[in-house]
Every structure is written in C-alpha cells, then in structure tokens.
C-alpha cells in the first residue's frame, strides 16, 4: 500500500495480508491472445489515421519511413518491452509498479494515472464526434454533401478550393452544425444537447467494455481490435479503383531525401512512435499486470509494436488514395488537402465520401472504424485508473461500492462530468487546449523520468533478472544497450528539442490568449506535479536525515548492479535499507535486489 510502503511499522498485519491475498487472487486474461489484441487495440488508435499520414506528407513522404522504422527498432520496441516486463513482473498498475522498482520516483506512476485520466475525459469526445457522424451518415444525401442547409454560409462551396474566403460543405457541417463553434475560448456558449446525449452513450459503451475487468475487455477486443482492419482493407480496395488515386499514393510514398537532414523529421518520427505505442501512459503496463507470470513478454512486444506501425502505413495508403481522387476531381494539388488532427477525418475525408459511389456505405464503414479504434484506446486509459485504485484501495472501495462494477461506474460518471466542457459550443477550443498541454507537453517529461527510474536507478541488470525469472531468458545485448544508452539519450534529445521548439496552443488560425495558456500549464502540471511530490514524500517518510537518504539513492543510481548489502556505508543507517527491503517483500518482488538476507537488520 502506497501510504505505508516506506513505514512498515505503521502497517497492520491484516492490511498486509489483504494486499498479499489480492495479489494472489488477481484476475488474468482468459487467453493470452486477449492481452495481445487488447494491446494492439490500445496502441492502434485515431493517431494512426489522422497523425501518421500527415507527418509522412510533411516530412518527406516515403523518406519519413527511414527515421520512423529506425525509431521503432531502437526506441519503441525496447521501451514497450520494458513496460510490459515491469507490469507483468510486479503484477501491479503503474503507481505500485514504479513504487516497487524505484520508490524515489514513484510519482512517475501517479503521473501516468493522472495523464491517462485527463486524456480519457476529452478523448471520449472524439468518440462522441464519430458517433454523431455515424448517425448522420444514414441520411441521403449526406448532410455535408451540399451547401443547401440551414447552417451553411454564403461563402460555402461544395468543392475544395485554395481561397481563404470560402469554406467547404464538410467544414461548415463540422463547425456550424455539429460543434456550433464560437469565435474563441472566451465565448463559452451553451451545451450542445445532441452531443451531450451522445457523450452519455459513449460512456455507456466504455462502461460495458470494462465493467468486468479483463474478463469483459478480453471478449470485446476480439471485435474492436480486428474489425477496423476489415474496413481499412475494404476502403483501400475501393479507393485504389478511383481515378487519381495513384497520384495521391505517389505523393504519400515518393521520398524527398533532403528532408532527412533536418533534426525535426527525426524528432517527429520518435514522437510519433512514442505517442502511438503509448509509452508513459501506463495503459499497457496496467494491462500486462493481468498476464500470467511466465508469459512470453517479447512475443507480445513485437506483435503490438509491429502491427501498430503496419496499421499506420496501411492508413496512409487509404487516406492519400482518397486525397488523390479528390485532387483529380477538383483540380487542386494534394498538398492543399492534407491537414493534421481531427480535421483530417472529420472534414477532409468526409468530403471525399461525398464524391464516391454509394457515399452512405463508405461513410458508415469509416466512422464505425473510428468508433472501434477510439473505444480500444479509451477503455485502456480508463483501465489504468481502475487498476491503480483497486491496487491501492481495494478493501475501502469494496466496502463503499460493494462491487468493482459500481466502482467502475462511479469513475465513468466522474469522467463524463469532466468532459462536459468539451461538448459545449466552446468545446473544440477546450479540447485543443487539453490535448496540446497533455499529449504534447506532459508526456515527454513523464517518459524521461520513467526511463531514468527503470533503466538507470532500478537498473538494466535487475530488469534482465526479472525477465529470466519469468521466461527463463535474459534480455539480449541489443535491448540492454537500448535501455541503458540509446533510449535515455533519444528521449533527452526529444525533450530538449520540444522545449526549444515549443509553440503556444492554437486552433487553426486562432491563438489562445495568455490566460488560456496559463490554464493549459495548470492542466500540464496536474500530471507532472506528482513526480516531485512523490520524491518529497519518499524522502520525508524514510528514516534518517535528508543527506543519508539521498546518499543511499546516489549509490543506488551510480552503482545499480551492486548487492544491496554492499550499499551499506558509514553514512547510511541500517533502518533505511530495512524499510526498502520490507517494501520489496511486501509486494513480492524478490529479484529487485540481489541477496537480500532473511533479516534486513543484518545488512
């Protein structure tokens, strides 16, 4: 238990026994394939459809695949392997897992939970938009197919254009029909009641996906993780037959090698791998804690990361084949159609459907695919909070709610209430502000400290020992080098570059005012602040003076492969080591340090 992990004298025997019993009775996936599918569903999300193709276009087309695949091999796969190993070995969510491997940086686990919860409150709004478009797709003609609607302006045009004075029918449907968008963040407007009801529906779907834990999630992912591929392939076959499709695909894959000489392209590739797989969000670590102890972690790591990247490339072909068709019809360059973010799937691509044969069919298929992609990622983020709360407050929560199902319902209800600002008329600005300061700013700091905690303080040798205890094989030299040198170095470069190149949040041409930017930093700090708070708490509760405790961690950091007994020096009290050892035993992590004696006071 977090509140007593550093002070075993304050813990009762009953509380320790309950925690041990909970761990022994921890549910596991019915079949291991269910975890693999859940991991694929968590990693493969809307970013694969709306972010990766745009980055390819902006970063040299096919040339972007070189840094992208390089970062997948040296950054994505090793760090996912690291997270799955820690989650499976400790059999805990990110809060307790990080508290076990590195008590000083246990706040990294708390920050993972905080960032996942913040994201789930606004990410479900994207699912709400997908449901709104899905329901609208059953109309004939499609409501964004023409400008003959009550919400259209005199500047509306049914075709894409280079002019900044006109807007397309699909743009006006998104802005003036669905969002009823205000002029800025200072003008809040009213609640969009249609979106309010659909948001309730979205949270009902999420609840029934996860209310039974891995038992219900494991059944849902058979459909939500696999069916999007059926739709993607069907869309690709349809788009490839359209005139001009080959021009769009050529634009997507033809390399511009000179772009590889810019640092920004390599940083974008690393950031895309990082955010797409979900390193630092805690979702995959939480789900891996329900694996059987001897599961082959490497097999799951390779399956999740490789399929995630192949899906991004497949989505790129689907998107740009449609762009080529639109370019052919309207006589404008493909470069004028490519946009980033929600605009790609809710403005540009719906416009392509309007010009296809049987547009309702393809619109329904596409937005149903977005729904499946969003659901997988959303319930993975909610599961992080559920897992962490059940790890920490299992007895209290079961006493209050009587069952886990009611506890999950309460979490979904709270997240729903916090998401209401995003479905007001000002909602798109709230969404953009939260996404910018959570998914872009916070996650880089979080990832940096997670790698420091696990790869350097906990140590590569101990992590390899954990793997050997679970699977019988230690990590090979490639993974050990990536954990020790390559990954920390790359994340440091990305973090520094992100700070240097940081730009205030904006939406299209609208730049948020200073007071809104300050609110954004408060949102960012809501997750980052747990890292220093966790370190302060650790230093406060451990016995001994501040210098004695910091000296203990200094030796642990710079001599990570030494036995814990060798860390005893004249400056370190026995009681400090005793508390750490007791914390290790409490969570059943016997390989955390080598050669822990039966009586810690003998150290």
């Amino acid at each position: 238990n977090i509140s007593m992990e550093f002070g075993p004298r304050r813990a009762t025997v009953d509380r320790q026994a309950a925690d041990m019993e909970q761990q022994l009775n921890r549910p596991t996936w019915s079949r291991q394939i269910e975890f693999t599918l859940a991991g694929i569903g968590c990693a493969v999300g809307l970013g694969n459809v709306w972010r990766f193709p745009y980055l390819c276009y902006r970063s040299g087309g096919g040339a972007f695949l070189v840094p992208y695949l390089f970062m997948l091999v040296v950054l994505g796969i090793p760090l996912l392997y690291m997270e799955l190993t820690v989650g499976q070995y400790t059999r805990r969510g990110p809060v307790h897992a990080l508290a076990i491997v590195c008590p000083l940086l246990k706040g990294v686990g708390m920050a993972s939970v905080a960032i996942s919860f913040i994201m789930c409150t606004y990410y479900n709004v994207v699912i709400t938009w997908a449901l709104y478009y899905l329901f609208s797709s059953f109309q004939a003609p499609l409501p964004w197919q023409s400008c003959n609607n009550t919400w259209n302006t005199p500047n509306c045009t049914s075709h894409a254009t280079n002019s900044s004075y006109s807007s397309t029918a699909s743009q006006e449907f998104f802005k003036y029909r669905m969002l009823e968008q205000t002029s800025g963040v200072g003008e809040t407007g009213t609640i969009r009641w249609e979106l309010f009801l659909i948001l309730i529906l979205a949270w009902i779907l999420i609840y029934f996906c996860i209310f039974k834990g891995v038992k219900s999630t494991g059944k849902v992912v058979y459909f939500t993780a696999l069916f999007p591929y059926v739709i993607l392939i069907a869309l690709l076959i349809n788009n490839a037959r359209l005139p001009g499709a080959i021009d769009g695909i050529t634009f997507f894959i033809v390399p511009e090698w000179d772009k590889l000489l810019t640092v920004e392209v390599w940083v974008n590739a690393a950031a895309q791998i990082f955010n797409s797989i979900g390193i630092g969000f805690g979702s995959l670590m939480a789900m891996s804690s329900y694996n059987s102890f001897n599961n082959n972690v490497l097999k799951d790591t390779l399956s999740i990361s490789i399929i995630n990247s192949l899906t991004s490339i497949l989505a790129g072909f689907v998107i740009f084949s449609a762009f080529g068709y639109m370019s052919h019809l309207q006589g404008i360059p493909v470069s004028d159609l490519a946009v980033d973010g929600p605009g790609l799937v809710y403005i540009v691509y719906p416009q392509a459907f309007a010009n296809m044969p049987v547009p309702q069919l393809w619109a329904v298929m596409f937005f149903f695919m977005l729904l499946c992609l969003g659901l997988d990622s959303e319930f993975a983020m909610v599961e992080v909070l559920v897992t962490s709360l059940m790890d920490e407050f299992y007895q209290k929560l079961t006493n209050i709610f009587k069952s886990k199902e009611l506890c999950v319902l309460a979490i979904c209800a709270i997240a729903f209430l916090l998401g209401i600002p995003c479905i007001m008329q000002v909602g798109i600005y709230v969404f953009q502000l939260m996404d910018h300061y959570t998914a872009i700013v916070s996650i880089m700091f979080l990832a940096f400290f997670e790698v420091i905690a696990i790869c350097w303080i906990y140590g590569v040798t101990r992590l390899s020992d954990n793997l050997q205890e679970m699977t019988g094989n230690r990590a090979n030299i490639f993974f050990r080098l990536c954990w020790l040198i390559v990954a920390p170095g790359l994340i440091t470069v990305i973090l520094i570059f992100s700070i240097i190149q940081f730009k205030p949040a904006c939406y299209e041409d609208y730049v948020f005012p200073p007071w809104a930017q300050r609110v954004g930093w408060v949102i960012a700090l809501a997750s980052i602040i747990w890292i220093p708070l966790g370190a302060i708490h650790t230093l406060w509760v451990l016995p001994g003076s501040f210098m004695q405790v910091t000296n203990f961690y200094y030796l642990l950091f710079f001599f990570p492969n030494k036995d814990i007994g060798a860390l005893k020096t004249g400056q370190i009290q026995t009681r400090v080591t005793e508390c750490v050892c007791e914390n290790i035993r409490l969570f059943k992590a016997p390989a955390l340090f080598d050669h822990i004696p039966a009586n810690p006071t003998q150290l």
Side-chain angles (χ1 to χ4, degrees):
N1 182 278
I2 293 287
S3 63
M4 42 70 75
E5 62 197 4
F6 299 108
R9 290 176 177 173
R10 293 155 48 193
T12 64
V13 175
D14 291 340
R15 186 66 178 274
Q16 293 184 23
D19 189 272
M20 299 291 279
E21 181 182 358
Q22 179 199 353
Q23 187 186 32
L24 291 172
N25 297 329
R26 192 176 187 83
T28 57
W29 300 93
S30 300
R31 295 183 178 88
Q32 198 54 45
I33 186 64
E34 293 178 1
F35 166 71
T36 306
L37 291 175
I40 292 171
C42 173
V44 177
L46 298 173
N48 297 71
V49 177
W50 77 31
R51 181 67 176 161
F52 176 81
Y54 176 77
L55 281 178
C56 267
Y57 145 72
R58 198 181 70 180
S59 304
F64 181 71
L65 294 178
V66 174
Y68 178 79
L69 294 176
F70 175 78
M71 293 299 176
L72 171 67
V73 172
V74 302
L75 187 65
I77 293 176
L79 291 185
L80 179 59
Y81 195 24
M82 174 196 77
E83 283 202 351
L84 297 187
T85 299
V86 171
Q88 181 173 305
Y89 185 77
T90 60
R91 306 208 68 190
R92 285 290 182 266
V95 175
H96 277 254
L98 267 297
I100 292 169
V101 302
C102 181
L104 185 66
L105 290 179
K106 64 179 180 179
V108 174
M110 301 177 191
S112 295
V113 174
I115 200 172
S116 292
F117 182 67
I118 293 171
M119 287 191 68
C120 82
T121 61
Y122 71 82
Y123 191 86
N124 214 16
V125 174
V126 183
I127 299 176
T128 301
W129 297 343
L131 284 169
Y132 187 92
Y133 269 81
L134 179 62
F135 297 148
S136 301
S137 298
F138 289 98
Q139 301 177 36
L142 293 173
W144 56 84
Q145 202 162 357
S146 71
C147 295
N148 302 320
N149 302 287
T150 56
W151 58 82
N152 291 128
T153 67
N155 295 326
C156 178
T157 174
S158 57
H159 299 287
T161 174
N162 292 328
S163 174
S164 59
Y165 300 103
S166 61
S167 55
T168 64
S170 60
Q171 283 177 316
E172 296 202 348
F173 178 82
F174 182 73
K175 291 182 179 180
Y176 306 132
R177 177 66 183 100
M178 184 181 75
L179 299 179
E180 293 185 7
Q181 178 180 323
T182 59
S183 60
V185 70
E187 185 183 348
T188 57
T190 59
I191 291 178
R192 287 282 292 114
W193 291 107
E194 290 174 289
L195 296 180
F196 180 85
L197 294 175
I198 297 176
L199 182 62
I200 294 176
L201 175 61
W203 276 111
I204 290 173
L205 291 175
I206 294 297
Y207 173 74
F208 283 108
C209 286
I210 65 172
F211 78 116
K212 289 288 187 182
V214 294
K215 299 303 179 184
S216 59
T217 303
K219 303 300 180 289
V220 172
V221 294
Y222 281 109
F223 181 80
T224 56
L226 296 176
F227 190 68
Y229 293 99
V230 176
I231 299 179
L232 276 174
I233 293 171
L235 287 170
L236 180 59
I237 293 173
N238 174 73
N239 294 356
R241 296 167 49 248
L242 299 173
I246 190 65
D247 296 328
I249 293 175
T250 302
F251 184 89
F252 172 56
I253 63 174
V254 170
E256 298 178 31
W257 298 112
D258 57 306
K259 292 286 186 72
L260 296 183
L261 300 177
T262 60
V263 177
E264 185 179 5
V265 169
W266 293 84
V267 172
N268 285 339
Q272 176 61 18
I273 284 290
F274 204 87
N275 288 289
S276 180
I277 294 178
I279 304 298
F281 290 99
S283 303
L284 289 168
M285 187 183 293
M287 290 195 292
S288 69
S289 70
Y290 298 104
N291 283 340
S292 60
F293 186 75
N294 301 115
N295 173 58
N296 187 339
V297 188
L298 182 58
K299 179 186 68 175
D300 291 325
T301 300
L302 295 175
S303 300
I304 293 169
S305 54
I306 293 175
I307 291 176
N308 172 68
S309 295
L310 291 177
T311 305
S312 296
I313 296 172
L314 175 62
F317 280 98
V318 172
I319 295 295
F320 275 89
S321 59
F323 284 174
Y325 174 58
M326 291 176 63
S327 175
H328 170 79
L329 288 180
Q330 299 169 15
I332 62 173
V334 175
S335 58
D336 291 338
L337 298 172
V339 296
D340 187 15
L344 179 64
V345 294
Y346 292 112
I347 296 177
V348 178
Y349 209 67
Q351 187 180 344
F353 294 138
N355 297 295
M356 290 181 184
V358 199
Q360 288 79 11
L361 172 63
W362 300 112
V364 168
M365 290 180 65
F366 180 76
F367 291 114
F368 188 74
M369 178 193 71
L370 291 186
L371 174 63
C372 292
L373 292 175
L375 284 176
D376 282 338
S377 300
E378 176 71 11
F379 67 61
M381 287 185 279
V382 179
E383 185 61 45
V384 174
L385 181 62
V386 173
T387 298
S388 300
L389 288 176
M390 297 306 291
D391 285 348
E392 171 66 13
F393 304 110
Y394 179 76
Q395 282 189 313
K396 289 183 179 179
L397 291 176
T398 51
N399 289 336
I400 295 172
F401 294 102
K402 306 304 179 185
S403 66
K404 180 180 178 180
E405 290 83 353
L406 290 178
C407 177
V408 175
L409 180 61
I411 292 171
C412 290
I414 294 171
F416 160 73
L417 293 175
L418 293 175
I420 289 177
C422 292
I423 48 94
M424 297 179 68
Q425 290 175 317
V426 74
I428 187 65
Y429 300 105
V430 177
F431 172 88
Q432 193 69 25
L433 190 69
M434 294 181 70
D435 187 59
H436 183 82
Y437 284 95
T438 301
I440 297 177
V441 176
S442 301
I443 193 62
M444 287 303 156
F445 286 94
L446 181 59
F448 174 78
F449 285 104
E450 180 182 90
V451 170
I452 294 299
I454 298 176
C455 295
W456 284 4
I457 298 181
Y458 183 59
V460 170
T461 299
R462 298 187 190 105
L463 199 59
S464 296
D465 290 343
N466 298 157
L467 273 169
Q468 186 173 30
E469 188 176 344
M470 290 189 295
T471 65
N473 298 308
R474 295 173 62 83
N476 59 38
I477 185 65
F478 168 75
F479 285 111
R480 294 202 299 271
L481 283 175
C482 286
W483 288 336
L484 190 63
I485 300 172
V486 180
L490 283 175
I491 291 178
T492 302
V493 170
I494 296 171
L495 180 61
I496 294 173
F497 189 83
S498 300
I499 294 172
I500 294 174
Q501 298 292 323
F502 177 77
K503 297 177 182 178
C506 61
Y507 175 65
E508 296 181 338
D509 296 329
Y510 176 80
V511 179
F512 287 85
W515 69 265
Q517 303 287 353
R518 289 192 289 270
V519 171
W521 281 111
V522 171
I523 295 171
L525 288 175
S527 56
I528 299 174
I529 195 66
W530 293 104
I531 298 175
L533 288 180
I536 292 170
H537 179 261
T538 298
L539 297 174
W540 178 265
V541 298
L542 276 176
S545 68
F546 175 81
M547 290 304 298
Q548 289 170 335
V549 174
T550 51
N551 193 31
F552 177 84
Y553 277 104
Y554 167 81
L555 292 174
L556 193 61
F557 181 84
F558 287 102
F559 303 97
N561 299 324
K562 284 185 176 292
D563 297 349
I564 193 170
L567 295 179
K568 185 188 175 187
T569 67
Q571 288 78 33
I572 303 176
Q573 290 184 341
T574 302
R575 183 63 186 142
V576 176
T577 307
E578 179 183 347
C579 287
V580 175
C581 294
E582 185 63 24
N583 180 53
I584 296 163
R585 286 202 187 88
L586 179 62
F587 290 99
K588 300 181 68 178
L592 184 58
F593 297 103
D594 300 326
H595 312 301
I596 299 177
N599 182 5
T601 57
Q602 296 175 0
L603 293 174

